[in-house]
Amino acid sequence: MFDAVDPVVMGTSTESYLAAADCPGCNNAFAPKRANQRYCSRECQKNATRGSRRAENRDRSWRHYERAYRLTEMVYTAPPQERLGVMKHILEFVQHDAGLRNILTDPELHKRPPRPDGRMNIAKAAHVYTQTFFGLSIKRYMQLVCAGQEARGIPLIASPTD
């Protein structure tokens, strides 16, 4: 009775019974390694399930640098005698604003040369401010402030009793 049934011949590789498939993520043909494999790579699977992050990253980057530009303009549109006060006001938000912390420590902003008129971007200006008044880099200043410690300043004018 069993003689009438053809024996099933198994290949030595699982690829022998899997047909080529088209990746729904990138539309490229590929040879699946598993029977349930739909995408050619993990990257295609990620992009298909959550979408490409390129546009999202571009928008986030644009908002980051646009805000940096607006903060820089806020400082430099103030009259010269009020600019230190504006910078002090901006730095008061460091503890509560992660976006501001990212802007002030952005390596790309710190690398940029000053504008032709000699004005620095907000990251460099904040660094110079904290160096001048606290003797700290902007990064160290933010670490202290976020830890709840007070950043003590350097006395600008020696007292007459010294």
Side-chain angles (χ1 to χ4, degrees), residues 25-128:
C26 63
N27 295 324
N28 289 333
F30 73 101
K33 294 179 175 72
R34 299 176 315 278
N36 64 347
Q37 183 178 356
R38 293 184 54 213
Y39 297 94
C40 64
S41 67
R42 181 76 176 131
E43 190 66 30
C44 276
Q45 183 181 6
K46 285 180 186 178
N47 286 339
T49 57
R50 68 177 180 209
S52 177
R53 298 290 174 119
R54 182 178 295 148
E56 183 180 328
N57 290 339
R58 184 182 57 240
D59 290 344
R60 186 181 315 115
S61 180
W62 184 86
R63 286 190 308 270
H64 173 83
Y65 289 109
E66 174 65 20
R67 185 174 181 203
Y69 175 79
R70 285 186 283 119
L71 287 168
T72 301
E73 291 304 309
M74 184 188 329
V75 170
Y76 288 113
T77 55
Q81 64 272 17
E82 295 176 11
R83 289 182 187 159
L84 294 177
V86 171
M87 183 61 74
K88 180 181 177 189
H89 181 72
I90 290 170
L91 290 177
E92 289 173 356
F93 293 97
V94 163
Q95 187 174 8
H96 310 288
D97 190 345
L100 179 60
R101 290 192 301 269
N102 289 337
I103 289 170
L104 297 180
T105 57
D106 185 344
E108 290 299 318
L109 290 174
H110 282 279
K111 288 179 193 173
R112 289 186 184 167
R115 299 186 328 195
D117 59 3
R119 294 180 174 181
M120 298 177 270
N121 61 50
I122 189 67
K124 283 186 167 186
H127 178 73
V128 169

